[in-house]
């Protein structure tokens, strides 16, 4: 990861962990709970849909800076996307944070800053917990999601 992206990564993580966006409950919609037993991160993801489109997305929970920032950026990213678009974004994001593919900043937008997580394999679960939980909410699964 180049120095500019590393600096942006740090800035986005700090900003979104201190002032998470969309940190609230959505009463009318889907929800799922997620848990990372290794570090204790918990998240509840709320999705309000209009047909196949995500009208609104929010989360609540507590966890490390990466987990909170990832959930915050995810909620901003998913708004207005279709289920298929959300799945494609998740797959690309997951491949980048696990180091399977190189980051494509244009394709991932703000999510590209999480490419640095690939340098810290123990933090991948922190960065993906919210995404696995959002997928469960979209699928209407009621059992909690675990990163284990």
């Amino acid at each position: 990861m180049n120095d500019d992206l590393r600096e942006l990564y740090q800035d986005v993580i700090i900003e979104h962990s201190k002032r998470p966006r969309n940190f609230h409950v959505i009463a009318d919609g889907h929800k799922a709970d997620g848990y990372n037993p290794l570090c204790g991160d918990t998240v509840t993801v709320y999705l309000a849909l209009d047909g196949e489109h995500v009208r609104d997305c929010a989360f609540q929970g507590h966890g490390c800076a990466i987990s909170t920032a990832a959930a915050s950026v995810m909620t901003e990213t998913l708004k207005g996307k279709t289920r298929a678009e959300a799945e494609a974004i998740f797959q690309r994001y997951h491949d980048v944070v696990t180091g399977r593919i190189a980051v494509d900043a244009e394709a991932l937008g703000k999510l590209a800053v999480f490419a640095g997580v690939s340098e810290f394999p123990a933090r991948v679960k922190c960065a993906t917990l919210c995404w696995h939980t959002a997928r469960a909410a979209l699928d209407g699964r009621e059992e909690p999601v675990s990163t284990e």
Side-chain angles (χ1 to χ4, degrees):
M1 178 166 47
N2 67 40
D3 289 338
D4 289 340
L5 190 56
R6 181 173 279 116
E7 186 176 326
L8 182 59
Y9 165 79
Q10 293 170 347
D11 291 346
V12 169
I13 299 295
I14 291 167
E15 171 65 21
H16 279 265
S17 66
K18 288 184 176 181
R19 287 180 285 290
R21 285 27 163 218
N22 304 302
F23 190 81
H24 59 86
V25 172
I26 297 174
D28 65 330
H30 301 255
K31 86 169 204 172
D33 297 309
Y35 179 58
N36 181 351
L38 285 178
C39 64
D41 296 340
T42 63
V43 67
T44 301
V45 174
Y46 303 91
L47 296 169
L49 302 174
D50 279 335
E52 289 294 305
H53 286 85
V54 177
R55 176 176 41 86
D56 200 3
C57 185
F59 79 103
Q60 286 198 313
H62 66 278
C64 67
I66 292 172
S67 178
T68 301
S72 178
V73 175
M74 179 196 72
T75 62
E76 292 183 322
T77 301
L78 290 181
K79 288 182 183 182
K81 302 293 189 287
T82 65
R83 288 173 182 261
E85 289 169 331
E87 179 61 34
I89 292 167
F90 169 72
Q91 197 57 55
R92 188 176 305 119
Y93 173 81
H94 192 268
D95 287 347
V96 166
V97 298
T98 57
R100 290 187 187 130
I101 63 172
V103 64
D104 178 351
E106 189 173 318
L108 278 179
K110 193 182 270 189
L111 291 170
V113 300
F114 291 94
V117 171
S118 68
E119 296 178 20
F120 308 96
R123 304 311 298 249
V124 169
K125 292 178 181 181
C126 302
T128 60
L129 174 63
C130 61
W131 286 92
H132 290 292
T133 308
R135 183 188 266 169
L138 280 170
D139 293 343
R141 287 183 287 175
E142 294 189 18
E143 67 277 356
V145 174
S146 174
T147 55
E148 292 304 305

